[in-house]
């Protein structure tokens, strides 16, 4: 099934679960299973006939086409609807509407679902206001529905997005260094084995690890075992630069300096002692989350290139699944 990752509302194929969208899908699902529907026109007409006044106020035919193109329904010798939608519609009442809303979020996840929602909570400040307002009809169950949808779709895409925003941070730092007259080498493009991302030839501190963060994760970072071993080996020649992106970066078509709230640096000497040594009973191998003391951070004097930008998540994403 094709999963469409939409930046926000209003685009062709948009299936954000507004009240009218969910009600249309509910009607179309019910009528597809009451009796065989041999063509789309008959299917849509039957949905309108079985609906209330709301059915005449929404474009049911448009939602029928979106269900077909989005893999929620298909036409063979008759109209078939995804079994999960059929099961949801059969529950009836508010429970049916809530479950259909969750299924639409799962089948057509908006980009913010991966950023605003975690396993336990929803940060509504990351949701575009137009989309949030369109979903408020789901209260008081909105957060529960969003978290349930996130759990079903999040892992692979969240991992990919973390890499994308991390790559964007590296490119912005590289451009900033060149803008300031330095000649950095992007060693992370050559190999992951270096234990840092950027090397500055001839500099007293020439090994730079770049980390990206959002408002919720500023001040902490994931560090691989190789990065930790490298920073211990290089000592004061290894430093970490963290770009803290504001929430608009995660829906922008182009990510640039305007999407960076702050640039901070921390030396390895300020936090290496936080990591416990290996013992015969415990060894960490893959990665760890490090949270240096707030006083260990200092504002970076790095100046971002005002004309530099990299493609953002809002540029349009599709993925097969």
């Amino acid at each position: 099934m094709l999963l469409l990752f939409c930046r926000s509302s209003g685009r062709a194929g948009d299936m954000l679960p507004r009240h009218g969208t969910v009600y249309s899908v509910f009607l179309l699902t019910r009528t597809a299973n009451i009796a065989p529907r041999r063509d789309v026109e008959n299917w849509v007409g039957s949905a309108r006939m079985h609906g209330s006044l709301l059915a005449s106020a929404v474009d049911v035919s448009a939602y029928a086409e979106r269900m077909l193109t989005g893999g929620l329904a298909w036409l063979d010798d008759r109209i078939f609807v995804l079994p999960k939608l059929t099961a949801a519609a059969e529950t009836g009442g508010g429970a049916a509407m809530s479950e259909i809303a969750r299924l639409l979020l799962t089948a057509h996840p908006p980009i913010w679902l991966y950023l605003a929602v975690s396993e336990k909570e929803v940060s509504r400040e990351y949701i575009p206001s137009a989309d949030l307002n369109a979903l408020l009809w789901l209260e008081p169950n909105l957060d529960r529905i969003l978290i349930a949808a996130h759990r079903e779709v999040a892992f692979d895409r969240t991992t990919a997005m973390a890499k994308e925003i991390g790559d964007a941070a590296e490119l912005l730092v590289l451009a900033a260094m060149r803008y300031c007259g330095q000649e950095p080498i992007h060693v992370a493009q050559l190999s992951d084995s270096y234990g840092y991302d950027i090397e500055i030839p001839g500099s007293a501190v020439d090994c730079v690890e770049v980390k990206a963060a959002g408002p919720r994760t500023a001040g902490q970072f994931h560090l691989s075992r190789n990065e930790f071993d490298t920073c211990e080996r290089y000592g004061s020649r290894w430093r970490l630069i963290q770009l803290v992106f504001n929430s608009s970066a995660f829906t922008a078509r182009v990510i640039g300096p305007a999407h960076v709230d702050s640039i901070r640096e921390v030396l390895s000497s300020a936090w290496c002692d936080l990591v416990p040594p290996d013992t015969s009973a415990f060894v960490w191998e893959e990665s760890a989350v490090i949270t240096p003391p707030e006083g260990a951070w200092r504002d970076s004097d790095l100046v971002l290139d005002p004309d530099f930008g990299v493609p953002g998540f809002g540029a349009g994403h599709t993925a097969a699944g």
Side-chain angles (χ1 to χ4, degrees), residues 181-213:
Q182 296 176 317
E183 298 181 356
I185 301 171
H186 196 189
V187 296
Q189 286 280 319
L190 306 176
S191 172
D192 291 332
S193 65
Y194 282 84
Y196 52 89
D197 298 313
I198 299 171
E199 188 170 291
I200 308 172
S203 173
V205 181
D206 60 2
C207 303
V208 179
E209 175 65 21
V210 180
K211 298 294 184 183

Side-chain angles (χ1 to χ4, degrees), residues 13-45:
D14 173 33
M15 289 292 278
L16 188 77
R18 301 172 183 81
H19 187 265
T21 305
V22 173
Y23 184 62
S24 297
V25 172
F26 171 76
L27 288 176
L28 289 162
T29 301
R30 289 292 297 270
T31 54
N33 291 292
I34 289 173
R37 309 298 170 185
R38 303 298 179 185
D39 56 62
V40 175
E41 184 177 357
N42 176 258
W43 183 32
V44 171

